[in-house]
Amino acid sequence: MLLAIDAGNTNVVFALLEGREIKARWRIATDPRRTADEYAVWLSQLLTLEGYDRGQVNGVIIATVVPRALHNLQTLARKYFGGEPLIAGEPPVEWGMALDVLEPKSVGADRAVTMIAAHAGHPGDLIVIDFGTATTLDMVDYTGAYKGGIIAPGINLSLDALVTAAAKLPRIAIEAPADASVIGRDTVSQMQIGIFWGYVAMIEGLVARMKAEVGRPITVVATGGLAILFEQHTTMFDVVEPDLTIQGLAILWDRAHMQP
């Protein structure tokens, strides 16, 4: 079984895979100071609760956009899972895709892995939207090459900024307003409309502009935890696949272990 680790700016996601099938997944808040031993205690208990043990894991692959977290995750793999982990983007698991942008080295590992999985699952040109700490919209052409994209504040960041900067505004849940009206009658409903429908309008507008610029038929693939929430209230997604990043890590692992 494979342990795939996606270390993002907000959470670290651990997923246990058998082939391409995700058997279990867990997440913990990202903290670069968290030691390998702390990860091991937490993860061992969760493995046990799901009916697995550490001895069943025969490989670890890591993608991270938090460089300070990498050392402790590597130590976790070596000390508690008995092997050297593969690091996404580094030999022998290079991306295997063209990064046709001005600064290819600046493309985040999470974005690259997600695009690899999206291209593997869908033919043709793609817009890949990932709802994470930031919301990213990436254009992948029919050859699998990354052509560029957009980075926007994630919806949670937007809400945090609003509540922090405006002392009298309450913290609200991120959810669709109770009805279709976009004229709020109280503070909470006005905030919900602004955050939720404002965010939907932003994504719809950006996707429309990207489609017009590409000028060819294009499939919109959404991923990330909030994609399912937005899916219910817009028609802009053609496909929603919440686990693209983990699937991309599994693809890279398989490539590294293909027989010559």
Side-chain angles (χ1 to χ4, degrees), residues 126-131 135-139 150 199-216 218-222 234-238:
L126 304 174
I127 295 172
V128 183
I129 308 175
D130 190 355
F131 293 93
T135 294
T136 56
L137 298 87
D138 291 310
M139 195 268 159
I150 298 167
Y199 210 78
V200 169
M202 180 190 76
I203 298 298
E204 288 178 337
L206 292 175
V207 167
R209 286 174 176 267
M210 291 177 77
K211 285 183 172 181
E213 186 168 336
V214 172
R216 299 187 299 269
I218 195 163
T219 300
V220 179
V221 183
T234 181
T235 59
M236 65 181 155
F237 306 146
D238 296 306

Side-chain angles (χ1 to χ4, degrees), residues 48-214:
T48 300
L49 287 172
E50 296 284 350
Y52 301 102
D53 63 65
R54 289 189 287 117
Q56 293 174 271
V57 176
N58 53 26
V60 178
I61 186 168
I62 302 168
T64 181
V65 295
V66 186
R68 288 177 56 211
L70 180 57
H71 172 72
N72 286 325
L73 292 171
Q74 288 176 302
T75 303
L76 169 71
R78 294 167 184 150
K79 183 176 179 181
Y80 291 99
F81 294 98
E84 189 68 24
L86 298 184
I87 310 302
E90 299 181 7
V93 282
E94 295 92 344
W95 300 132
M97 64 185 294
L99 301 178
D100 187 14
V101 290
L102 296 178
E103 299 176 336
K105 291 184 178 179
S106 70
V107 177
D110 53 347
R111 296 172 78 180
V113 169
T114 298
M115 287 184 280
I116 288 167
H119 176 68
H122 304 282
D125 295 301
L126 304 174
I127 295 172
V128 183
I129 308 175
D130 190 355
F131 293 93
T133 305
T135 294
T136 56
L137 298 87
D138 291 310
M139 195 268 159
V140 183
D141 75 7
Y142 61 92
T143 70
Y146 173 49
K147 308 300 287 187
I150 298 167
I151 301 173
I155 191 168
N156 282 296
L157 283 181
S158 300
L159 179 58
D160 287 345
L162 178 64
V163 172
T164 300
K168 295 184 70 175
L169 293 182
R171 180 163 294 280
I172 61 171
I174 295 174
E175 58 187 5
D179 56 51
S181 174
V182 292
I183 302 175
R185 303 281 287 172
D186 56 53
T187 299
V188 169
S189 65
Q190 290 170 15
M191 290 177 67
Q192 287 177 329
I193 292 165
I195 289 291
F196 187 86
W197 290 122
Y199 210 78
V200 169
M202 180 190 76
I203 298 298
E204 288 178 337
L206 292 175
V207 167
R209 286 174 176 267
M210 291 177 77
K211 285 183 172 181
E213 186 168 336
V214 172

Side-chain angles (χ1 to χ4, degrees), residues 1-3 16-19 21 23 52 56-60:
M1 300 188 82
L2 173 67
L3 181 64
L16 192 65
L17 296 102
E18 189 168 16
E21 182 182 358
K23 308 298 287 188
Y52 301 102
Q56 293 174 271
V57 176
N58 53 26
V60 178

